[in-house]
Amino acid sequence: VRTGMNSRLDAIQAAILRVKLQAFEDHELSSVQDAASRYQEILKPIAEWEGITLPIAPSDSTSSWAQYTIQLPARIDRDTLQQELRAQGVPTMVYYPKPMHEQRAFKGACLHPGSCTTTERLCACVLSLPIGPYMSSADQQEVANRLRAYLGREAAGA
């Protein structure tokens, strides 16, 4: 409804966050990066065949992979795919279904539907797959298999 920011962090919260960030770096960061690399490897053939765009982390950066978000081709009904995956026990998420410039808080900011075409396209086609430092290779393979099965049925016109 409105823009805002809450950047207050007291000394106790800062001390806890400092320890947690170090623990994340020491124990989870490399694991989640490995999980993202596995997805890249597992999903690459599907992406090439089905027209999915996989996320790319710049080579000079380190991603925490808070989300692993793919871009679906226009022919895929994202909502139907998401419902089917959910029914099969695969949680997915659409974090930003509505572009920022179409949010009520930005009304009157001189941005109108159609003025940010890339943003609007991405809000309509992205889907975040489950990822985390403790996700097993088998679980990732299962996500890929279920995604492949759905896309194969869609390509066949089923």
Side-chain angles (χ1 to χ4, degrees):
V1 173
R2 61 187 155 275
T3 60
M5 179 173 47
N6 181 349
S7 57
R8 294 180 303 248
L9 192 66
D10 63 38
I12 293 173
Q13 291 171 321
I16 292 168
L17 183 59
R18 185 175 186 178
V19 171
K20 290 192 73 67
L21 285 172
Q22 188 62 52
F24 175 71
E25 186 175 338
D26 292 346
H27 304 291
E28 296 180 355
L29 185 58
S30 64
S31 295
V32 78
Q33 289 173 338
D34 290 345
S37 294
R38 276 193 307 272
Y39 261 146
Q40 292 293 111
E41 183 179 319
I42 294 168
L43 294 175
K44 185 177 180 184
I46 301 169
E48 290 172 352
W49 184 256
E50 300 292 347
I52 293 172
T53 303
L54 301 178
I56 300 170
S59 60
D60 61 343
S61 300
T62 300
S63 177
S64 65
W65 293 103
Q67 293 91 30
Y68 187 89
T69 304
I70 61 174
Q71 296 175 44
L72 300 168
R75 67 177 173 79
I76 299 300
D77 182 325
R78 178 184 64 192
D79 293 338
T80 303
L81 168 60
Q82 190 175 25
Q83 288 171 2
E84 183 164 322
L85 290 174
R86 184 180 308 119
Q88 297 175 20
V90 178
T92 61
M93 191 69 184
V94 176
Y95 287 97
Y96 303 101
K98 189 174 187 179
M100 291 284 292
H101 66 281
E102 292 181 14
Q103 300 285 338
R104 199 164 110 195
F106 294 100
K107 186 175 182 178
C110 298
L111 294 170
H112 306 285
S115 64
C116 299
T117 56
T118 301
T119 299
E120 292 165 15
R121 179 182 58 78
L122 290 171
C123 284
C125 77
V126 297
L127 183 66
S128 295
L129 302 179
I131 190 169
Y134 306 109
M135 189 170 187
S136 72
S137 300
D139 286 343
Q140 286 185 285
Q141 187 64 58
E142 189 61 28
V143 170
N145 291 345
R146 293 179 187 276
L147 180 62
R148 180 187 302 116
Y150 179 86
L151 295 172
R153 284 193 309 276
E154 287 298 305

